[in-house]
Structures are given as structure tokens and as C-alpha cells.
Amino acid sequence: MTHTSRYRGRFAPTPSGPLHFGSLVAALGSYLDARAAGGTWLVRIEDIDPPRCPPGSDNTILRQLEAFGLHWDEPVQWQHNHSEAYQQALDQLIAQGLAYPCSCSRKQWQAFSIYPGWCRSGVRDATKPVAWRLRSDLAQRPITWHDRLFGFQQFDPATLGDVVLKRKDQLWAYQLAVVVDDAEQDITDVVRGIDLLDNTPWQCQIQSALGLPTPRYLHLPLIVTAAGQKLSKQNLAPALAEETRGIRRQLFNALQVLDQSPPDTLIEEPPETQLRWATKHWSIAQLSPTAHRRLPQEP
Ligand code: GLU
């Protein structure tokens, strides 16, 4: 795909812990795609869920990105500063009849695979705290878009359910925050893991309801353990290397996992050299559209 002259991309980690190899691959893919297009690359810390974000993880992540040579172009943004913008967006959706309060607990609808929409016609229990949900059944269906790696995508948001926009504990939910911030930061290109592919229909629905542009999407293969699990803190994915040799090897491995076929000699080179080579040679055509990749032997 040829880019238009304007390109703004971002890496948007949730600071639930230090970056691991899987997050490095997402950061690197997003960085290279932006740099190869001569674009701008931003970092946004998605810290809307404080109980999941130990203090200091945001700085750890920024330090890790710098150690891997992944330098960003504009001041880092933190989502915890953006509540007002999220509330405005929610108010707009409420005014359009696209968001509704819901008092139901997960336990009440556990027999269903998605929330059955009981509160759409009015809150069931007015004495309880409420979450705010999206009327996924009122989207212009189906939602379609072209993913730059996985091609034509088609989803009916109603089959995905009325996703939560604001939680009962008043915390903002990812789907709303990501849409508001991508628009606010004028993001033209979202590059992220394929685990978020089926979140995209909700985001497209919210964008169109709020009159915001839909960015281009490139979802990247997910790195999985030998047992096929996504690398995460839950399965104790180790934090990225901190010493010179480890950093070089992991960056090289991340280029390999992205099918960029780096020449062997690059493994001994500092991040700046590896990234210069990779920016020059970045090719999505080489990237195989398979959803999962095994963790390399020595990440
Ligand atoms: N914050 C999300 C995560 O860490 C990624 C958001 C995105 O790239 O849209 O999984």
C-alpha cells in the first residue's frame, strides 16, 4: 500500500508491567511503518485502569523503548489526563441514543456469550451503580474495512455485543478512550497486534457515530508461547533485555518475526543501525498473514 503524504502512527501500551518480546514486536512494527512512510510516530500511555498499572511501569516502558532505539516524535500522552474528552464523547453517544446505562452484573448474564442487552430499554435495577454500554445493534451493519495485512474484514458488531464504554467503578474503558485519542492525536495509521482485530468494529462504529475519521489498520501477528498462549504478564513473559547483547539479539529476533529477513550480521549491530536497515527495507508484502508466531528460541 502506498501511503498518502501524511502519516501519523502510534504505539499505545497499557502500562501493566514492563514490555516483553510480544510488545516489542508491536512497537517495532508500528515504528517501522511510520518511519518508512516518512511519518510521525507517537507513544501514548493507556493508563485508564490504575489497579492494573503499577506505578512506575510507564517510565519503565519509555526507558525500554529508548534502549531499543525506538524514539518518538512528540511529547508522550497519558490517558489519565483525558477524562473530560472521554466524557464529552460519551455524552454525545448518549444524546444519539447509542449509549445506555446498565446495572447488570456479569453473574446475571453468565449463561450468555455476550451481554444480551437487557438494559437497552431502561436500567433494570436503578438502585445499583451503572456501567455505560454501546448499542452495538444500532451500528450500520455490517462494519467492513481493509486491513493492510489481513485484507477485507467484515463484522456485525451486534454479534460482538454491547461493549462497555465506562465502567461501574467510573473508570473509562479502552474502546472509547482509544477512539477519542486516536482522533485527538490525528492518527492516520493504527498498527497493533491481531488480538485487537475484533475490537476494531466497535471502534469503527464509535468513530462514525462521533463523526471522526477511521484510520488505516494494520494488525500484526501475535507472539505466542510454545503452548500457544499470548505472551503476557499472566504467563510470566520476561521483560525485555537491558544489556547490550540482549537488546541487539531481541531487536534482530523481532525483525525476523516480522518476516523482514534481516542479514545475519545485523544481529551484532546497535539498535540505530538495525533500525536504519529495517526502515529502508520495511515491507508488508514480506509479512505473512498468519495470526500467530512462535516465540523465537532466544528472544
Ligand atoms: N493499550 C492496548 C494494549 O496495550 C493497545 C491499544 C491499541 O493499540 O489500540 O493492548
Side-chain angles (χ1 to χ4, degrees), residues 180-201:
V180 169
D181 285 336
D182 282 341
E184 170 62 29
Q185 295 185 276
D186 209 7
I187 297 301
T188 62
D189 286 80
V190 169
V191 181
R192 62 186 177 193
I194 195 174
D195 53 324
L196 294 169
L197 184 89
D198 64 1
N199 288 215
T200 311

Side-chain angles (χ1 to χ4, degrees), residues 18-273:
L19 299 180
H20 49 69
F21 185 73
S23 24
L24 173 64
V25 170
L28 179 62
S30 154
Y31 172 92
L32 290 175
D33 198 54
R35 288 287 175 259
T40 301
W41 189 65
L42 310 179
V43 173
R44 181 173 71 230
I45 302 289
E46 301 212 317
D47 59 346
I48 39 177
D49 188 353
R52 267 186 66 210
C53 301
S57 289
D58 50 354
N59 286 327
T60 302
I61 288 174
L62 297 176
R63 234 185 335 100
Q64 290 176 304
L65 290 172
E66 281 178 333
F68 279 79
L70 302 171
H71 304 295
W72 52 92
D73 296 315
E74 291 175 11
V76 173
Q77 301 243 358
W78 275 261
Q79 286 194 323
H80 75 255
N81 292 327
H82 298 175
S83 297
E84 264 174 48
Y86 305 150
Q87 188 63 54
Q88 271 177 19
L90 179 62
D91 289 344
Q92 209 176 323
L93 293 172
I94 296 169
Q96 292 173 298
L98 291 175
Y100 64 95
C102 170
S103 61
C104 298
S105 67
R106 183 76 203 226
K107 213 167 150 206
Q108 288 172 301
W109 55 275
Q110 65 187 356
F112 300 82
S113 58
I114 58 172
Y115 174 64
W118 293 326
C119 288
R120 282 177 185 164
S121 48
V123 188
R124 282 204 147 184
D125 185 345
T127 65
K128 290 231 179 84
V130 293
W132 289 85
R133 290 183 181 274
L134 180 68
R135 283 290 299 260
S136 59
D137 58 322
L138 298 182
Q140 284 181 343
R141 295 185 262 163
I143 289 202
T144 63
W145 78 96
H146 174 83
D147 186 273
R148 291 172 54 209
L149 181 60
F150 290 93
F152 179 73
Q153 302 294 319
Q154 176 168 325
F155 286 86
D156 178 351
T159 64
L160 300 170
D162 289 356
V163 77
V164 169
L165 303 170
K166 189 178 192 179
R167 296 171 14 175
K168 280 186 184 169
D169 56 10
Q170 301 297 304
L171 292 179
W172 292 103
Y174 162 65
Q175 308 299 342
L176 184 67
V178 75
V179 166
V180 169
D181 285 336
D182 282 341
E184 170 62 29
Q185 295 185 276
D186 209 7
I187 297 301
T188 62
D189 286 80
V190 169
V191 181
R192 62 186 177 193
I194 195 174
D195 53 324
L196 294 169
L197 184 89
D198 64 1
N199 288 215
T200 311
W202 287 313
Q203 295 170 20
C204 292
Q205 182 188 350
I206 298 168
Q207 285 152 1
S208 97
L210 296 176
L212 303 173
T214 289
R216 288 175 289 247
Y217 286 100
L218 166 57
H219 287 90
L220 298 171
L222 207 62
I223 310 304
V224 295
T225 62
Q229 286 176 309
K230 177 188 168 178
L231 284 193
S232 69
K233 244 185 29 176
Q234 286 73 26
N235 59 35
L236 305 176
L240 290 173
E242 290 180 20
E243 86 298 351
T244 305
R245 183 167 175 273
I247 288 173
R248 293 177 184 189
R249 297 187 86 83
Q250 284 186 336
L251 190 56
F252 182 85
N253 282 333
L255 289 173
Q256 281 188 320
V257 163
L258 288 169
D259 299 331
Q260 300 303 296
S261 315
D264 290 346
T265 52
L266 217 55
I267 197 168
E268 308 294 347
E269 300 291 343
E272 287 65 29
T273 311

